Protein backbone atom coordinates (compact mmCIF):
# COMPACT_ATOMS: atom_id res chain seq x y z
CA UNK A 1 0.00 0.00 0.00
CA UNK A 2 2.86 2.34 0.82
CA UNK A 3 4.55 1.60 -2.54
CA UNK A 4 1.29 2.24 -4.42
CA UNK A 5 0.77 5.50 -2.53
CA UNK A 6 4.30 6.65 -3.32
CA UNK A 7 3.78 5.81 -7.02
CA UNK A 8 0.53 7.80 -7.19
CA UNK A 9 2.20 10.74 -5.47
CA UNK A 10 5.09 10.64 -7.95
CA UNK A 11 2.70 10.59 -10.92
CA UNK A 12 0.67 13.47 -9.48
CA UNK A 13 3.84 15.49 -8.86
CA UNK A 14 5.01 14.80 -12.41
CA UNK A 15 1.72 16.10 -13.89
CA UNK A 16 1.88 19.23 -11.74
CA UNK A 17 5.46 19.88 -12.86
CA UNK A 18 4.53 19.55 -16.54
CA UNK A 19 1.57 21.90 -16.08
CA UNK A 20 3.76 24.48 -14.35
CA UNK A 21 6.30 24.37 -17.17
CA UNK A 22 3.63 25.30 -19.73
CA UNK A 23 3.62 29.10 -20.29
CA UNK A 24 0.51 30.88 -19.07
CA UNK A 25 -1.94 31.59 -21.86
CA UNK A 26 -0.13 29.41 -24.38
CA UNK A 27 -2.12 27.25 -26.76
CA UNK A 28 -1.50 24.91 -29.64
CA UNK A 29 -2.51 25.19 -33.26
CA UNK A 30 -6.22 25.51 -33.95
CA UNK A 31 -7.90 22.38 -35.16
CA UNK A 32 -9.79 22.22 -38.45
CA UNK A 33 -13.11 22.33 -36.63
CA UNK A 34 -12.10 25.43 -34.67
CA UNK A 35 -11.00 27.15 -37.86
CA UNK A 36 -14.31 26.32 -39.56
CA UNK A 37 -16.22 27.76 -36.58
CA UNK A 38 -14.17 30.95 -36.73
CA UNK A 39 -14.72 31.21 -40.48
CA UNK A 40 -18.47 30.91 -39.97
CA UNK A 41 -18.41 33.60 -37.26
CA UNK A 42 -16.36 36.03 -39.34
CA UNK A 43 -18.62 35.49 -42.34
CA UNK A 44 -21.70 36.33 -40.24
CA UNK A 45 -20.00 39.44 -38.84
CA UNK A 46 -19.14 40.55 -42.37
CA UNK A 47 -22.80 40.20 -43.40
CA UNK A 48 -23.92 42.36 -40.45
CA UNK A 49 -21.36 45.11 -41.08
CA UNK A 50 -22.20 45.23 -44.80
CA UNK A 51 -25.90 45.55 -43.97
CA UNK A 52 -25.17 48.35 -41.47
CA UNK A 53 -23.05 50.08 -44.09
CA UNK A 54 -25.91 50.08 -46.59
CA UNK A 55 -28.41 51.30 -43.98
CA UNK A 56 -26.08 54.14 -42.92
CA UNK A 57 -25.55 55.14 -46.57
CA UNK A 58 -29.32 55.32 -47.13
CA UNK A 59 -29.85 57.37 -43.96
CA UNK A 60 -26.93 59.67 -44.75
CA UNK A 61 -28.67 61.02 -47.84
CA UNK A 62 -31.69 62.10 -45.77
CA UNK A 63 -29.51 63.66 -43.08
CA UNK A 64 -27.48 65.59 -45.66
CA UNK A 65 -30.65 67.04 -47.14
CA UNK A 66 -31.90 68.02 -43.66
CA UNK A 67 -28.52 69.57 -42.81
CA UNK A 68 -28.57 71.67 -45.99
CA UNK A 69 -31.97 73.08 -44.97
CA UNK A 70 -30.84 73.71 -41.37
CA UNK A 71 -27.62 75.37 -42.56
CA UNK A 72 -29.56 77.79 -44.76
CA UNK A 73 -32.01 78.42 -41.93
CA UNK A 74 -29.24 79.20 -39.41
CA UNK A 75 -27.00 81.25 -41.74
CA UNK A 76 -28.47 84.52 -40.48
CA UNK A 77 -27.45 83.85 -36.86
CA UNK A 78 -23.74 84.40 -37.47
CA UNK A 79 -22.57 87.09 -35.06
CA UNK A 80 -25.86 87.45 -33.18
CA UNK A 81 -24.83 85.29 -30.21
CA UNK A 82 -22.20 86.73 -27.88
CA UNK A 83 -20.29 85.71 -24.76
CA UNK A 84 -21.07 87.86 -21.72
CA UNK A 85 -19.19 88.28 -18.46
CA UNK A 86 -21.01 86.73 -15.54
CA UNK A 87 -20.45 85.12 -12.17
CA UNK A 88 -22.83 82.28 -12.88
CA UNK A 89 -21.36 78.87 -13.78
CA UNK A 90 -20.54 77.91 -17.34
CA UNK A 91 -22.60 75.04 -18.75
CA UNK A 92 -20.80 72.54 -21.01
CA UNK A 93 -23.11 70.80 -23.51
CA UNK A 94 -21.55 67.98 -25.59
CA UNK A 95 -23.64 66.65 -28.49
CA UNK A 96 -23.03 62.93 -28.95
CA UNK A 97 -24.98 59.97 -30.34
CA UNK A 98 -27.25 57.48 -28.61
CA UNK A 99 -25.77 54.46 -30.42
CA UNK A 100 -22.22 53.32 -31.00
CA UNK A 101 -20.38 51.71 -33.93
CA UNK A 102 -19.82 55.11 -35.53
CA UNK A 103 -16.08 55.68 -35.39
CA UNK A 104 -14.59 58.44 -33.27
CA UNK A 105 -17.36 61.05 -33.37
CA UNK A 106 -18.27 60.52 -29.70
CA UNK A 107 -14.65 60.24 -28.59
CA UNK A 108 -13.80 63.63 -30.11
CA UNK A 109 -16.77 65.39 -28.47
CA UNK A 110 -16.25 63.78 -25.05
CA UNK A 111 -12.52 64.51 -25.10
CA UNK A 112 -13.15 68.18 -25.85
CA UNK A 113 -15.80 68.37 -23.11
CA UNK A 114 -13.41 66.79 -20.59
CA UNK A 115 -10.64 69.20 -21.58
CA UNK A 116 -12.85 72.25 -21.12
CA UNK A 117 -14.21 71.06 -17.77
CA UNK A 118 -10.73 70.25 -16.49
CA UNK A 119 -9.55 73.73 -17.49
CA UNK A 120 -12.48 75.34 -15.67
CA UNK A 121 -11.81 73.17 -12.63
CA UNK A 122 -8.12 74.10 -12.58
CA UNK A 123 -9.04 77.78 -12.75
CA UNK A 124 -11.38 77.36 -9.80
CA UNK A 125 -14.43 78.36 -11.85
CA UNK A 126 -17.84 76.79 -11.39
CA UNK A 127 -19.34 74.80 -14.26
CA UNK A 128 -22.30 72.54 -15.08
CA UNK A 129 -22.74 69.60 -17.44
CA UNK A 130 -25.78 69.07 -19.65
CA UNK A 131 -25.49 66.12 -22.05
CA UNK A 132 -27.14 65.39 -25.38
CA UNK A 133 -27.01 61.71 -26.35
CA UNK A 134 -26.41 58.55 -24.37
CA UNK A 135 -22.71 58.26 -25.21
CA UNK A 136 -21.80 61.55 -23.55
CA UNK A 137 -23.94 60.79 -20.53
CA UNK A 138 -22.43 57.36 -20.02
CA UNK A 139 -18.85 58.52 -20.56
CA UNK A 140 -18.76 61.82 -18.67
CA UNK A 141 -20.83 60.82 -15.65
CA UNK A 142 -17.93 58.69 -14.41
CA UNK A 143 -15.85 61.73 -13.52
CA UNK A 144 -18.36 64.60 -13.52
CA UNK A 145 -21.60 63.09 -12.23
CA UNK A 146 -21.85 65.69 -9.45
CA UNK A 147 -21.80 68.43 -12.09
CA UNK A 148 -24.57 66.94 -14.25
CA UNK A 149 -27.82 68.90 -14.21
CA UNK A 150 -29.74 67.15 -17.01
CA UNK A 151 -29.61 65.59 -20.44
CA UNK A 152 -31.48 64.65 -23.60
CA UNK A 153 -31.79 61.08 -24.93
CA UNK A 154 -33.17 59.61 -28.17
CA UNK A 155 -34.13 62.85 -29.87
CA UNK A 156 -35.53 62.18 -33.33
CA UNK A 157 -35.53 58.40 -32.96
CA UNK A 158 -32.84 57.97 -35.63
CA UNK A 159 -34.56 60.29 -38.12
CA UNK A 160 -33.41 63.85 -38.96
CA UNK A 161 -34.45 66.13 -36.11
CA UNK A 162 -37.30 68.56 -36.79
CA UNK A 163 -37.41 72.19 -35.76
CA UNK A 164 -40.14 71.36 -33.23
CA UNK A 165 -37.90 68.76 -31.57
CA UNK A 166 -34.94 71.15 -31.59
CA UNK A 167 -37.16 73.77 -29.94
CA UNK A 168 -37.97 71.32 -27.13
CA UNK A 169 -34.25 70.76 -26.58
CA UNK A 170 -33.72 74.53 -26.57
CA UNK A 171 -36.46 74.92 -23.95
CA UNK A 172 -34.81 72.31 -21.72
CA UNK A 173 -31.43 74.05 -22.02
CA UNK A 174 -32.81 77.56 -21.48
CA UNK A 175 -34.50 76.39 -18.27
CA UNK A 176 -31.09 75.78 -16.62
CA UNK A 177 -29.52 78.44 -14.39
CA UNK A 178 -26.20 79.16 -16.12
CA UNK A 179 -24.13 82.09 -17.37
CA UNK A 180 -22.61 81.05 -20.71
CA UNK A 181 -23.03 77.70 -22.44
CA UNK A 182 -20.43 75.95 -24.57
CA UNK A 183 -22.03 73.86 -27.33
CA UNK A 184 -19.57 71.15 -28.39
CA UNK A 185 -20.44 69.29 -31.59
CA UNK A 186 -19.00 67.82 -34.79
CA UNK A 187 -19.22 70.07 -37.84
CA UNK A 188 -19.80 68.00 -41.00
CA UNK A 189 -17.45 68.78 -43.91
CA UNK A 190 -17.59 65.72 -46.18
CA UNK A 191 -18.06 61.96 -45.95
CA UNK A 192 -14.71 61.34 -44.26
CA UNK A 193 -14.00 64.67 -42.56
CA UNK A 194 -15.53 66.58 -39.68
CA UNK A 195 -14.29 69.16 -37.18
CA UNK A 196 -15.10 69.28 -33.47
CA UNK A 197 -16.07 72.88 -32.74
CA UNK A 198 -17.32 74.87 -29.76
CA UNK A 199 -19.93 77.65 -29.94
CA UNK A 200 -20.54 79.84 -26.89
CA UNK A 201 -23.98 81.31 -26.22
CA UNK A 202 -25.24 83.38 -23.26
CA UNK A 203 -28.20 82.55 -21.07
CA UNK A 204 -31.57 84.14 -21.70
CA UNK A 205 -31.08 86.49 -18.75
CA UNK A 206 -27.69 87.71 -19.96
CA UNK A 207 -28.92 88.09 -23.51
CA UNK A 208 -31.91 90.22 -22.48
CA UNK A 209 -29.77 92.44 -20.21
CA UNK A 210 -27.23 93.25 -22.95
CA UNK A 211 -29.26 92.83 -26.13
CA UNK A 212 -30.42 96.44 -26.30
CA UNK A 213 -26.82 97.64 -26.33
CA UNK A 214 -25.69 94.98 -28.80
CA UNK A 215 -28.52 95.66 -31.26
CA UNK A 216 -28.68 99.44 -31.16
CA UNK A 217 -28.27 99.59 -34.94
CA UNK A 218 -31.50 97.63 -35.46
CA UNK A 219 -35.07 98.87 -35.28
CA UNK A 220 -37.38 97.02 -32.91
CA UNK A 221 -41.09 96.36 -33.24
CA UNK A 222 -43.43 94.66 -30.83
CA UNK A 223 -43.75 94.29 -27.10
CA UNK A 224 -40.54 95.62 -25.54
CA UNK A 225 -41.03 93.49 -22.43
CA UNK A 226 -40.85 90.12 -24.20
CA UNK A 227 -39.22 91.02 -27.52
CA UNK A 228 -35.67 89.99 -26.69
CA UNK A 229 -36.81 86.91 -24.77
CA UNK A 230 -38.78 85.68 -27.76
CA UNK A 231 -35.89 86.56 -30.07
CA UNK A 232 -33.47 84.58 -27.88
CA UNK A 233 -35.72 81.52 -27.77
CA UNK A 234 -36.12 81.55 -31.54
CA UNK A 235 -32.37 81.97 -32.15
CA UNK A 236 -31.52 79.18 -29.71
CA UNK A 237 -34.01 76.85 -31.39
CA UNK A 238 -32.59 77.62 -34.83
CA UNK A 239 -29.01 77.17 -33.60
CA UNK A 240 -29.74 73.82 -32.01
CA UNK A 241 -31.64 72.73 -35.11
CA UNK A 242 -28.41 73.25 -37.06
CA UNK A 243 -26.14 71.75 -34.38
CA UNK A 244 -28.17 68.56 -33.91
CA UNK A 245 -28.50 67.96 -37.65
CA UNK A 246 -24.74 68.41 -37.94
CA UNK A 247 -24.15 65.84 -35.21
CA UNK A 248 -26.57 63.36 -36.80
CA UNK A 249 -25.00 63.71 -40.25
CA UNK A 250 -21.52 63.13 -38.81
CA UNK A 251 -22.85 60.05 -37.01
CA UNK A 252 -24.19 58.44 -40.17
CA UNK A 253 -21.16 59.29 -42.32
CA UNK A 254 -18.78 57.98 -39.66
CA UNK A 255 -20.84 54.82 -39.19
CA UNK A 256 -20.83 54.18 -42.93
CA UNK A 257 -17.03 54.55 -43.05
CA UNK A 258 -16.51 52.42 -39.93
CA UNK A 259 -18.73 49.60 -41.21
CA UNK A 260 -17.00 49.68 -44.59
CA UNK A 261 -13.61 49.31 -42.88
CA UNK A 262 -14.97 46.53 -40.66
CA UNK A 263 -16.29 44.64 -43.68
CA UNK A 264 -12.92 44.94 -45.43
CA UNK A 265 -11.07 43.72 -42.33
CA UNK A 266 -13.49 40.80 -41.91
CA UNK A 267 -13.06 39.75 -45.55
CA UNK A 268 -9.28 39.93 -45.22
CA UNK A 269 -9.33 37.88 -42.02
CA UNK A 270 -11.67 35.35 -43.64
CA UNK A 271 -9.31 34.86 -46.59
CA UNK A 272 -6.32 34.30 -44.28
CA UNK A 273 -8.16 31.79 -42.10
CA UNK A 274 -9.56 29.99 -45.15
CA UNK A 275 -6.01 29.57 -46.50
CA UNK A 276 -4.88 28.26 -43.09
CA UNK A 277 -7.84 25.83 -42.94
CA UNK A 278 -7.14 24.56 -46.46
CA UNK A 279 -3.48 24.00 -45.63
CA UNK A 280 -4.42 22.08 -42.50
CA UNK A 281 -6.90 19.94 -44.41
CA UNK A 282 -4.34 19.27 -47.15
CA UNK A 283 -1.71 18.30 -44.60
CA UNK A 284 -4.15 15.87 -43.01
CA UNK A 285 -4.94 14.28 -46.38
CA UNK A 286 -1.23 14.04 -47.24
CA UNK A 287 -0.50 12.36 -43.91
CA UNK A 288 -3.26 9.78 -44.47
CA UNK A 289 -1.97 9.02 -47.98
CA UNK A 290 1.55 8.54 -46.65
CA UNK A 291 0.25 6.14 -43.99
CA UNK A 292 -1.68 4.14 -46.62
CA UNK A 293 1.37 4.02 -48.92
CA UNK A 294 3.67 2.98 -46.09
CA UNK A 295 1.23 0.26 -44.99
CA UNK A 296 0.93 -1.08 -48.56
CA UNK A 297 4.72 -1.15 -48.91
CA UNK A 298 5.09 -3.01 -45.63
CA UNK A 299 2.54 -5.63 -46.71
CA UNK A 300 4.37 -6.22 -50.01
CA UNK A 301 7.66 -6.76 -48.21
Amino acid sequence: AQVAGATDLAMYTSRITKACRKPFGSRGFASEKELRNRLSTIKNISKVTKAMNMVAAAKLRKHQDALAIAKTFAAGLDGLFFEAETEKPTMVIPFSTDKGLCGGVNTAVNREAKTQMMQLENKGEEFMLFTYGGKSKGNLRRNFERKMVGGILDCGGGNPVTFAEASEVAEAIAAQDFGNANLIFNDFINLITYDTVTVTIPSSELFESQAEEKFMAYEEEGDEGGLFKNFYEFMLGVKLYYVINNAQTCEQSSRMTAMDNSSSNADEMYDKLLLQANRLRQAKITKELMEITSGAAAVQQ
Side-chain angles (χ1 to χ4, degrees), residues 7-223:
T7 304
D8 293 340
L9 179 61
M11 293 175 61
Y12 178 75
T13 305
S14 176
R15 287 198 297 267
I16 294 296
T17 303
K18 291 180 180 178
C20 293
R21 288 175 182 172
K22 188 177 182 180
F24 178 76
S26 64
R27 60 183 182 181
F29 291 103
S31 64
E32 186 178 359
K33 182 179 180 181
E34 291 174 341
L35 286 175
R36 294 297 176 186
N37 290 337
R38 288 189 65 187
L39 285 170
S40 177
T41 302
I42 293 172
K43 190 174 183 179
N44 292 334
I45 292 174
S46 178
K47 290 179 180 179
V48 172
T49 54
K50 287 177 180 177
M52 292 184 67
N53 178 25
M54 290 187 291
V55 171
K59 287 185 176 182
L60 178 61
R61 183 69 264 174
K62 294 192 301 182
H63 284 285
Q64 283 183 300
D65 294 339
L67 177 60
I69 296 173
K71 189 173 184 178
T72 304
F73 197 27
L77 297 182
D78 296 339
L80 295 183
F81 279 118
F82 52 85
E83 183 177 0
E85 294 184 3
T86 177
E87 296 181 355
K88 288 188 175 183
T90 300
M91 186 162 69
V92 179
I93 311 176
F95 288 81
S96 69
T97 68
D98 289 301
K99 299 179 181 179
L101 299 177
C102 52
V105 289
N106 295 316
T107 302
V109 169
N110 292 335
R111 185 189 299 119
E112 180 63 24
K114 287 179 182 178
T115 300
Q116 292 188 16
M117 288 188 286
M118 291 298 295
Q119 290 176 351
L120 292 170
E121 194 171 39
N122 294 335
K123 293 179 182 178
E125 299 180 9
E126 290 293 326
F127 63 90
M128 305 156 58
L129 175 61
F130 188 97
T131 60
Y132 178 94
K135 292 302 178 180
S136 284
K137 181 180 180 180
N139 185 280
L140 298 176
R141 72 184 306 174
R142 302 172 188 171
N143 299 324
F144 303 98
E145 186 173 7
R146 56 189 175 84
K147 297 293 185 179
M148 292 184 66
V149 295
I152 302 293
L153 294 175
D154 197 24
C155 181
N159 298 315
V161 69
T162 63
F163 182 70
E165 292 169 336
S167 297
E168 293 180 4
V169 177
E171 185 178 356
I173 292 176
Q176 307 300 322
D177 186 20
F178 63 95
N180 295 302
N182 294 339
L183 310 180
I184 305 172
F185 62 98
N186 292 313
D187 186 21
F188 179 79
I189 298 177
N190 53 48
L191 293 178
I192 59 175
T193 308
Y194 58 85
D195 286 335
T196 304
V197 299
T198 302
V199 176
T200 302
I201 61 172
S203 64
S204 177
E205 182 181 349
L206 285 176
F207 183 84
E208 292 180 47
S209 63
Q210 301 185 23
E212 188 171 355
E213 179 183 351
K214 297 288 184 180
F215 301 111
M216 289 182 61
Y218 298 88
E219 295 183 2
E220 305 168 10
E221 293 183 2
D223 183 15

